[in-house]
Amino acid sequence: MATTPDLDRMVLRLEDGSSFDLWTEATVEDSFLDPCQTMRLRVGVDESRFHLVSRLRKGAQFVLEVNGSPQIGGFLDSVSIDSSHSGTTVEVAGRDVLSPVVDSHIDRKLAVKKGMSLRDMARLVFHDEFALPVVFGNGLADLGDDDAA
C-alpha cells in the first residue's frame, strides 16, 4: 500500500478505543503466498504520549486506517520499545484476523463426519472453533442458518 506521508493520515485503533498516529515508518504487505496480511509501524514517542504505550500489547485487536478507511484489522504480534540517547521509538507488528487460524491447529477432537460438505466444515472450523464470520459466494454472512445461502 503506497501512501503519501504529508497527505495521508494513518491511524492504528485498538480495541480499548485508544489510537496512535504520526507514524514515522509504515509497511503493509499482502502476499499471495502468505495467508495473512501483515503490517509493521514505527513511531517516536515523547513524554506526552508515553502513557499510551502501555496500551500496546501483544494480542491486542487493532484496525489500521488510512484517511479514515480501514485497511487491515487483526491482532498485534509484537510490540518493541527502544530507548537510546536520540529518543524512544515504538515498533508494532500485526497480522489480520486469520492469524489465530494460521498459528493454531484444529482441535483433534473436532468431529468431521464422513460426507460433511466443505461449507459445513468451513462453518465448523472458522465459526465454531475461531469465532470468525463465515462468508460464502453469495456475500452473505452465514453463521449457521442454511436459509441464508
Side-chain angles (χ1 to χ4, degrees):
M1 168 179 48
T3 62
T4 309
D6 54 343
L7 299 176
D8 295 315
R9 182 164 186 253
M10 186 173 289
V11 177
L12 182 72
R13 298 195 188 281
L14 300 178
E15 61 190 325
D16 68 1
S18 58
S19 63
F20 293 82
D21 57 2
L22 303 174
W23 298 101
T24 55
E25 285 182 41
T27 305
V28 177
E29 295 179 343
D30 194 0
S31 169
F32 177 74
L33 299 175
D34 188 347
C36 294
Q37 279 185 310
T38 60
M39 68 90 186
R40 184 173 303 278
L41 304 170
R42 182 181 298 233
V43 65
V45 179
D46 61 17
E47 301 82 30
S48 66
R49 296 174 41 149
F50 201 75
H51 68 285
L52 293 174
V53 173
S54 64
R55 296 182 181 181
L56 291 168
R57 59 178 171 66
K58 185 176 177 178
Q61 204 165 357
F62 74 88
V63 173
L64 180 65
E65 298 175 352
V66 175
N67 298 328
S69 297
Q71 301 299 313
I72 178 176
F75 302 94
L76 294 181
D77 286 326
S78 66
V79 176
S80 63
I81 301 170
D82 182 38
S83 294
S84 69
H85 67 282
S86 60
T88 301
T89 59
V90 176
E91 183 174 290
V92 296
R95 292 178 293 159
D96 68 19
V97 294
L98 278 182
S99 59
V101 178
V102 172
D103 291 345
S104 301
H105 63 280
I106 298 172
D107 185 349
R108 60 186 168 89
K109 297 177 194 164
L110 193 70
V112 177
K113 299 177 180 114
K114 185 176 181 176
M116 181 179 269
S117 71
L118 184 58
R119 175 190 194 100
D120 290 338
M121 188 182 304
R123 184 182 305 128
L124 180 67
V125 171
F126 292 109
H127 180 261
D128 297 352
E129 280 289 300
F130 294 100
L132 293 171
V134 179
V135 179
F136 294 101
N138 59 8
L140 299 173
D142 183 352
L143 303 180
D145 182 7
D146 287 332
D147 295 333

